[in-house]
Amino acid sequence: MILQYLAQEGIDDIKMNFSKYKKHFSDQSNQWFIKTFQENGWWKDLKFQCNDLHLDQNEDYNISDRRNIEILYTGWRDLPPALAADERVWAGALFGPFWNYVKYRRAVEISSGEEQAIKNSFFFMRSTKRSCFMNCLARLWWTGHLIYDAKVKDHFCAADLMCDGAYASTILLFSSSNFTANKDVALGVLDRLAIRKRLGDEIGRYHYVEASRYLNSIGSVILLDTLTRDEVSQLTGKVLDRHFGVCPPVLNVDALAGIL
């Protein structure tokens, strides 16, 4: 499929003149929006070829989010990060081929008729980085980009951890830490959380908070980018042991194969 995007003029018009569009967000189809965008010259081809995808719509969001992280990132893995951080691309996808998905995933917010809730469903309403992990479609791609692990058989195994609970708030919390810009650091933290989960610990928001707080604090005295993934896992393990009890140590990332 040829990816299409919604021009900035169209995004701005909806945001500024929301009352003109409001009732059509409850339409069963996206035909009115597409017709309006085309008439105004706002519907444009990105000239980027992507796989045609069908996202899961399980009634349990924990299940569908896990599946859809893998489906979307695998199918659109060649999407350049610069485009993946562009509001126009995701608006185009949500008003276009993923109209049914956003109506499913944001059903409560859209049916509420509340302006901010609807805008948050389709657009970037915060900073670019934060919005990438708030938008219901963009966050699937960016989660996949963050956690994709070529070193293990299940490249998206960390998604099991992320989606075992409140995925939307968990990924927003985790991605807000500066250290996630380094994939090895991010995966080192997730390695340790996955180990604790496998050993019976019930991983919750507080685990991410403590791990992030610790790494952010030592980041002022240690250059985190110089640490290996295994070293990050060991450091994370120590702080989590202090707060939540000791778990048996895992000495290297290769050993995770028998745990994950």
Side-chain angles (χ1 to χ4, degrees):
M1 62 180 288
I2 297 294
L3 202 59
Q4 293 174 304
Y5 69 94
L6 179 57
Q8 193 62 49
E9 294 88 345
I11 293 174
D12 293 341
D13 195 65
I14 297 175
K15 289 181 177 179
M16 292 186 293
N17 303 294
F18 183 77
S19 60
K20 183 172 68 175
Y21 298 90
K22 181 178 179 179
K23 69 177 182 179
H24 293 288
F25 283 99
S26 61
D27 290 353
Q28 185 172 359
S29 80
N30 59 351
Q31 291 181 2
W32 184 87
F33 280 106
I34 299 302
K35 183 174 181 290
T36 300
F37 298 157
Q38 290 174 336
E39 289 175 347
N40 286 281
W42 297 338
W43 200 238
K44 301 178 181 294
D45 287 344
L46 191 61
K47 295 183 176 62
F48 186 84
Q49 190 74 32
C50 287
N51 293 329
D52 190 5
L53 305 177
H54 300 282
L55 297 183
D56 186 272
Q57 294 187 23
N58 192 288
E59 62 182 14
D60 186 338
Y61 289 155
N62 289 341
I63 293 174
S64 63
D65 286 338
R66 167 61 179 88
R67 292 172 178 168
N68 290 334
I69 289 168
E70 185 167 355
I71 291 170
L72 185 62
Y73 190 71
T74 299
W76 287 14
R77 190 179 173 192
D78 291 334
L79 186 67
L83 289 181
D86 194 319
E87 176 186 30
R88 297 171 297 176
V89 172
W90 298 111
L94 289 167
F95 279 107
F98 294 99
W99 172 262
N100 289 333
Y101 175 75
V102 69
K103 295 281 284 186
Y104 145 78
R105 190 60 179 85
R106 299 284 291 179
V108 173
E109 291 79 5
I110 293 173
S111 64
S112 74
E114 201 278 311
E115 179 175 346
Q116 194 63 34
I118 295 175
K119 287 180 178 178
N120 280 332
S121 299
F122 288 84
F123 304 117
F124 284 12
M125 303 303 294
R126 302 291 183 89
S127 67
T128 297
K129 180 182 178 182
R130 189 169 181 82
S131 293
C132 282
F133 288 96
M134 288 185 68
N135 182 277
C136 66
L137 191 62
R139 72 183 173 211
L140 299 174
W141 191 94
W142 280 100
T143 301
H145 185 68
L146 176 64
I147 69 172
Y148 182 87
D149 187 357
K151 295 183 178 180
V152 295
K153 184 177 181 180
D154 180 359
H155 302 315
F156 298 92
C157 59
D160 294 330
L161 182 69
M162 285 282 182
C163 296
D164 185 18
Y167 160 65
S169 59
T170 297
I171 190 58
L172 191 60
L173 170 66
F174 189 65
S175 65
S176 66
S177 296
N178 290 331
F179 64 74
T180 56
N182 183 311
K183 194 177 187 73
D184 279 342
V185 176
L187 288 176
V189 174
L190 295 173
D191 285 344
R192 184 55 54 169
L193 291 173
I195 291 168
R196 293 188 67 93
K197 178 184 175 182
R198 180 65 181 83
L199 293 173
D201 198 0
E202 186 174 345
I203 303 301
R205 177 183 176 85
Y206 38 86
H207 288 80
Y208 290 92
V209 169
E210 292 301 334
S212 297
R213 179 182 294 145
Y214 176 69
L215 288 176
N216 286 332
S217 67
I218 67 171
S220 61
V221 293
I222 297 176
L223 189 58
L224 295 179
D225 288 346
T226 65
L227 300 178
T228 66
R229 174 174 170 175
D230 186 55
E231 288 172 334
V232 172
S233 177
Q234 295 294 327
L235 286 172
T236 303
K238 290 179 181 178
V239 70
L240 294 180
D241 286 350
R242 288 204 301 269
H243 285 274
F244 308 112
V246 176
C247 284
V250 173
L251 299 180
N252 56 65
V253 173
D254 293 335
L256 292 173
I259 293 180
L260 295 177

